[in-house]
Amino acid sequence: MCHMAACSLFSYAAIAWLRLVPMQLPRSRLQLAKIAALSLVFCASVVSGNISPRYLPVSFNQAVGATTPFFTAVFAYLMTVKRESFLTYLALVPVVTGVIIASGGEPSFNLFGFIMCVGATAARALKTVLQGILMSSDGEKINSMNLLMYMAPIAVVLLVPATIFMEDNVVAITMELAKDLNIVWYLLVNSSLAYFVNLTNFLVTKHTSALTLQVLDNAKGAVAVVISILIFRNPVSVTRMLGYTLTVIGVLRGSLQ
């Protein structure tokens, strides 16, 4: 919620005050409905993604997240009939295979957590495809900064009730934490970085493709897996490491296509 609030403020400031790009008004109710759908899918990915680490190790979440290019390719084909090269699809095979193997070798496997993790991954892929459509469709094309400016406030409205409902006593806890100014600064910096992350994601999608964005994004997955294992000391079986290795190979091959 804080991330999207920052995106709303920074996007408006960049467009209305700094005039970095011209302001674009929604051209139709249909376009506004698509932006609202994008916000809803984004919120679903965030909520599911924040639930799954309660039940599954971070390293396993990262491994499942590496299948995002697979879901992106499927959604891109279903929604835009866009086909990638055969080699690109071939590179996704070890990614999915690796996750399946890692799932079987995960000692802390939890079905509900796995469903949430896969749901977050699929929603993340669908969001990437939807934002690509909004920024490239001939009749309703919108630039990345304006899209973020309209999407973020809708996401805030959706996330406020989710935050209050899912996080017990969240207002009192937040006020208590805010007494430590370091926490406030961490949150402000973190939320500011979220704006640039979302903006660059939109720009990469616009100038390349939804699948390229997800493959590049997953390049950090291998590092996250190793770091999470070192920090949280969660047990790693040989089968699971084999699955991670296949997943990383698929990500690297996909990055080269």
Side-chain angles (χ1 to χ4, degrees):
M1 184 188 73
C2 292
H3 284 184
M4 288 297 98
C7 288
S8 301
L9 294 173
F10 284 132
S11 296
Y12 183 80
I15 295 172
W17 299 343
L18 300 179
R19 301 185 185 277
L20 296 181
V21 297
M23 180 174 288
Q24 295 176 283
L25 298 176
R27 299 185 181 183
S28 65
R29 290 184 179 179
L30 178 61
Q31 186 186 45
L32 197 56
K34 290 178 181 178
I35 295 174
L38 176 63
S39 299
L40 180 61
V41 171
F42 169 77
C43 293
S45 71
V46 170
V47 173
S48 300
N50 285 348
I51 290 175
S52 58
R54 298 181 184 178
Y55 303 93
L56 295 171
V58 175
S59 54
F60 185 73
N61 274 273
Q62 288 293 331
V64 175
T67 62
T68 308
F70 167 77
F71 287 101
T72 304
V74 172
F75 286 132
Y77 178 74
L78 292 176
M79 299 179 70
T80 65
V81 199
K82 180 181 179 181
R83 294 186 179 182
E84 301 291 338
S85 67
F86 174 75
L87 290 177
T88 300
Y89 288 122
L90 187 64
L92 297 178
V93 174
V95 174
V96 179
T97 305
V99 170
I100 293 173
I101 294 174
S103 301
E106 172 54 56
S108 307
F109 183 81
N110 178 280
L111 181 59
F112 177 73
F114 181 71
I115 292 172
M116 288 293 100
C117 190
V118 172
T121 302
R124 198 178 304 120
L126 180 57
K127 168 186 172 289
T128 306
V129 174
L130 287 174
Q131 69 191 30
I133 293 173
L134 281 165
M135 290 187 292
S136 61
S137 59
D138 293 331
E140 299 178 327
K141 186 182 296 185
I142 185 170
N143 68 53
S144 54
M145 199 171 290
N146 276 272
L147 177 58
L148 187 58
M149 182 180 69
Y150 290 119
M151 185 203 86
I154 299 174
V156 172
V157 172
L158 293 172
L159 287 171
V160 166
T163 301
I164 295 173
F165 176 75
M166 299 181 68
E167 298 183 24
D168 295 334
N169 203 23
V170 64
V171 176
I173 293 173
T174 303
M175 292 178 66
E176 182 66 26
L177 289 173
K179 293 178 181 178
D180 183 355
L181 291 180
N182 287 330
I183 296 295
V184 175
W185 282 111
Y186 289 151
L187 188 59
L188 288 174
V189 172
N190 183 265
S191 299
S192 300
L193 289 174
Y195 166 71
F196 294 103
V197 169
N198 280 281
L199 182 60
T200 51
N201 280 349
F202 283 2
L203 289 171
V204 171
T205 304
K206 177 182 178 181
H207 294 290
T208 57
S209 69
L211 184 58
T212 300
L213 170 66
Q214 293 304 336
V215 171
L216 291 173
D217 186 61
N218 277 331
K220 72 178 186 297
V223 178
V225 167
V226 174
I227 291 176
S228 66
I229 291 173
L230 293 175
I231 292 176
F232 298 109
R233 303 291 182 181
N234 48 284
V236 184
S237 64
V238 175
T239 303
R240 188 175 166 202
M241 285 308 301
L242 175 62
Y244 287 163
T245 302
L246 279 173
T247 300
V248 171
I249 291 172
V251 170
L252 293 175
R253 286 181 62 85
S255 301
L256 296 174
Q257 298 304 325

